[in-house]
Amino acid sequence: MCRKISVRGVTIGEGRPKICIPLAGRSLEELLRQAAAAQALGGDLYEWRMDCFDSLTELSAAGRALRAALPDAPLLFTFRTAAEGGQKPLGQADYLALCRETAEAGYCDLIDLELFTLGEMLPEITALAGAKGVFTIVSSHDFEKTPPEAEMFSRLQRMQAQGADIAKLAVMPQSPEDVLALLAATLRAKRDLGCLAITMAMGAMGVVSRISGELFGSVVTFGAGEQSSAPGQLPAGQLREILEALSYSSQ
């Protein structure tokens, strides 16, 4: 059985997938405005896409301001590198330093750590985050294709082995079979590994993967607030209606 984690009263891994609304403001003013709008939509948790912020030297101050604006909400801090579809390039050393600083800062509940960017340094950062009471989402993104099912399962297994609280995999399908492969790898991870996972096939073809997590084992799904952060995200309000209609845990 998959375990659960509780973050500020939100239990991830129980019931329907939890809705995470991304915040991608370029300035502090825009970030806080997006946070207020997203909170009105009733997300379960909120992701700050730090790579969208214009000033890298002001990330810490912005993080504290965001925490103050959403004092009771679970916050996921993500710097998505350009190599994995983000807005800014960042070398391994700088990315490692940023992850360390964010994990130690005291204002985030969860942090996204890229599997391939951190490489052999990943276990150090998952351990550091755990010691600080920060949950880790270890992620891998492929915006061009969908790896074979066995490779996707292997990545999820590797993430778990290196200390991830939640393993995350996002891929780009080229066919319906690719979506099925992603869902099969997710279900296998749920049954064979007992791990918490977030998986999605991106783009219009993969929308079904964003709404079927309760059945296949993806515990969080991303819904757009003012703007989406990846191809195929549904508006958060519409996503909630669909998830509640499909949920079998409440029936």
Side-chain angles (χ1 to χ4, degrees), residues 157-174:
Q157 187 175 39
R158 178 179 169 187
M159 293 169 188
Q160 184 185 43
Q162 296 197 51
D165 293 301
I166 304 175
K168 181 187 176 189
L169 182 64
V171 298
M172 184 63 73
Q174 303 298 326

Side-chain angles (χ1 to χ4, degrees), residues 23-28 31-32 48-67 77-80 88-90 94-95 97-99 101-102 105 107-108:
L23 309 173
R26 297 181 59 182
S27 66
L28 180 57
L31 175 65
L32 296 181
W48 181 27
R49 281 291 301 269
M50 303 163 74
D51 55 296
C52 297
F53 204 69
D54 279 342
S55 175
L56 296 185
T57 62
E58 298 177 6
L59 291 178
S60 182
R64 289 193 296 271
L66 182 60
R67 175 80 281 166
F77 281 58
T78 299
F79 189 101
R80 182 70 60 234
K88 293 181 176 67
L90 204 65
D94 289 335
Y95 180 73
L98 177 60
C99 290
E101 179 182 345
T102 303
Y107 44 64
C108 75

Side-chain angles (χ1 to χ4, degrees), residues 94-147:
D94 289 335
Y95 180 73
L96 175 64
L98 177 60
C99 290
R100 281 194 182 121
E101 179 182 345
T102 303
E104 293 177 331
Y107 44 64
C108 75
D109 303 300
L110 307 102
I111 184 172
D112 184 291
L113 305 171
E114 293 178 357
L115 174 68
F116 293 117
T117 305
L118 284 173
E120 63 183 15
M121 302 303 297
L122 178 58
E124 174 190 328
I125 303 303
T126 56
L128 170 64
K132 295 295 182 179
V134 176
F135 293 107
T136 54
I137 297 177
V138 177
S139 64
S140 173
H141 301 75
D142 191 327
F143 280 79
E144 296 182 358
K145 64 184 185 305
T146 299

Side-chain angles (χ1 to χ4, degrees), residues 204-220:
M205 189 181 294
V207 168
V208 65
S209 70
R210 295 181 179 274
I211 63 174
S212 58
E214 187 171 351
L215 182 61
F216 291 98
S218 181
V219 298
V220 173

Side-chain angles (χ1 to χ4, degrees), residues 23 30-41 66 69-70 226:
L23 309 173
E30 186 179 6
L31 175 65
L32 296 181
R33 179 177 55 76
Q34 287 187 6
Q39 192 171 32
L41 292 173
L66 182 60
L70 300 172
E226 289 191 357

